[in-house]
Amino acid sequence: MPDTRYAVAAVLVTAAVTWGLRALPFAALTPLRASGTVRFLRTRMPAGVMLILLVYCLRDVPVTQTRALAPLAALAVTVGLHLWRRNALLSILAGTAVHTLLASLVFTG
């Protein structure tokens, strides 16, 4: 059976390390807020991430087959709805619903 002082010390050291690891990102984030690079990335990253996701999701779509209509129609609905309403949640949900309905009901196979 381990010594009580040893167990208490181990718990205290573990707690201190855990607290330090959780506080470290916040401490490192403070000087980065004024950085020009971070400001640039903050404005450009959302569009860049969406572009990467678009290319990744559509890279294997066979555009010459009818089953490609489901993802392409969902993409058109998502983009169109987002440009019209400027609501990301609504756009994503509507695009997902269109893709799910078309892929499962109309373009099976």
Side-chain angles (χ1 to χ4, degrees):
M1 190 101 190
D3 185 23
T4 304
R5 288 181 293 182
Y6 178 79
V8 169
V11 168
L12 290 175
V13 168
T14 303
V17 169
T18 300
W19 183 85
L21 288 175
R22 290 181 182 220
L24 183 66
F26 294 103
L29 194 65
T30 302
L32 289 177
R33 291 190 193 274
S35 168
T37 303
V38 172
R39 278 195 308 263
F40 174 79
L41 289 174
R42 185 177 3 184
T43 59
R44 302 299 194 278
M45 282 299 287
V49 168
M50 293 307 290
L51 182 64
I52 290 169
L53 285 171
L54 174 72
V55 170
Y56 177 77
C57 289
L58 296 179
R59 73 176 196 266
D60 293 329
V61 172
V63 293
T64 59
Q65 297 177 6
T66 58
R67 64 186 173 110
L69 292 176
L72 295 177
L75 175 65
V77 166
T78 303
V79 170
L81 196 55
H82 188 72
L83 290 175
W84 178 45
R85 303 297 294 182
R86 297 281 183 205
N87 185 334
L89 181 61
L90 177 65
S91 305
I92 292 168
L93 287 176
T96 302
V98 167
H99 182 270
T100 302
L101 286 172
L102 290 177
S104 64
L105 298 176
V106 180
F107 301 109
T108 56

